[in-house]
Amino acid sequence: MATKQRGRPRSFDRETALEKAMRAFWENGYEGTSVSELTREMGIGAPSLYAAFGDKRSLFEEVVRVYGTTHGAGPARALTEEPTARGAVERLLREAADEFTDPGHPHGCLVIHAATNCTTPEVEQALRDQRGASLTAIEDRLRQGMATQELPEGTDAAALARFVGAVFQGMSQQSRDGASRGELEAIADLAMAAWPASEPAASGHRA
């Protein structure tokens, strides 16, 4: 008669478990996701979760890092790969419309939604810092556009970056409320219509 093994930790695929944890946080936010829900979604026991990932906060921090290199990597790619500031911002918003409404995962942006009703100061601050870093990256790209005279000299890069960030964050919430990809693309169109006009070329009547 076979002897039943006891106390042996259950093996699991770490990447798969991490992806499931990401979806739970993405759907319910940080505060709205309990450890019991995480273990249920990840298919592991609490001891395995703590052994592999640490506590809930440590798990969430790893989830956010992974999100930034997978589902949330689009904005950084747009800002670095597009040859113009306008092209970068337009791509950022259009790809957001697609990503935020992808039926393959929860809608919206994890970093934005996870902060909803967050009462854990360290997590709240970390998410605020990450959103601030995103605004800084947009502003830096806009300043590059000013340096190459793509944008008018008097452009308020900080205000324009905050405008782009506000549109991005609003699109995230709109997608959570059921807005379609087409509806979010229409928002992106309106946002780009507000793009600062380039300096007019010199005309013949000027000295």
Side-chain angles (χ1 to χ4, degrees):
M1 181 176 177
T3 304
K4 208 174 196 180
Q5 291 184 332
R6 295 180 181 274
R8 187 174 181 178
R10 177 182 173 185
S11 62
F12 63 92
D13 184 275
R14 195 177 191 282
E15 290 187 6
T16 299
L18 194 59
E19 176 71 21
K20 291 179 178 178
M22 179 189 299
R23 290 170 181 269
F25 284 124
W26 198 344
E27 182 63 43
N28 304 311
Y30 179 78
E31 296 296 342
T33 305
S34 65
V35 171
S36 60
E37 183 172 4
L38 286 168
T39 56
R40 182 173 65 252
E41 293 295 327
M42 297 165 75
I44 61 176
S48 294
L49 185 152
Y50 291 125
F53 301 102
D55 58 13
K56 174 184 167 181
R57 179 178 154 195
S58 297
L59 171 59
F60 179 70
E61 289 171 350
E62 185 168 353
V63 159
V64 171
R65 286 194 296 272
V66 172
Y67 177 82
T69 62
T70 54
H71 303 287
R77 285 198 302 263
L79 293 174
T80 57
E81 293 177 359
E82 291 301 313
T84 66
R86 180 187 175 94
V89 169
E90 183 167 11
R91 174 177 164 184
L92 183 156
L93 294 178
R94 292 196 180 282
E95 288 187 351
D98 182 40
E99 178 67 23
F100 289 170
T101 56
D102 188 333
H105 55 64
H107 287 180
C109 171
L110 180 149
V111 174
I112 295 170
H113 181 62
T116 303
N117 298 323
C118 183
T119 58
T120 303
E122 297 84 359
V123 172
E124 184 180 23
Q125 185 62 52
L127 293 173
R128 184 182 298 114
D129 290 345
Q130 185 154 339
R131 294 192 300 273
S134 297
L135 287 179
T136 298
I138 296 171
E139 182 178 344
D140 288 346
R141 186 64 187 87
L142 296 176
R143 292 193 183 280
Q144 291 175 27
M146 292 175 67
T148 58
Q149 299 184 324
E150 176 199 342
L151 285 164
E153 184 178 348
T155 300
D156 187 336
L160 184 55
R162 286 197 173 276
F163 169 73
V164 174
V167 173
F168 183 88
Q169 292 175 18
M171 289 171 65
S172 174
Q173 185 56 54
Q174 288 280 320
S175 71
R176 301 283 303 187
D177 291 341
S180 67
R181 175 180 176 180
E183 289 169 330
L184 296 187
E185 287 178 338
I187 294 173
D189 287 340
L190 289 172
M192 296 313 300
W195 190 260
S198 301
E199 294 287 1
S203 58
H205 69 274
R206 295 179 62 183

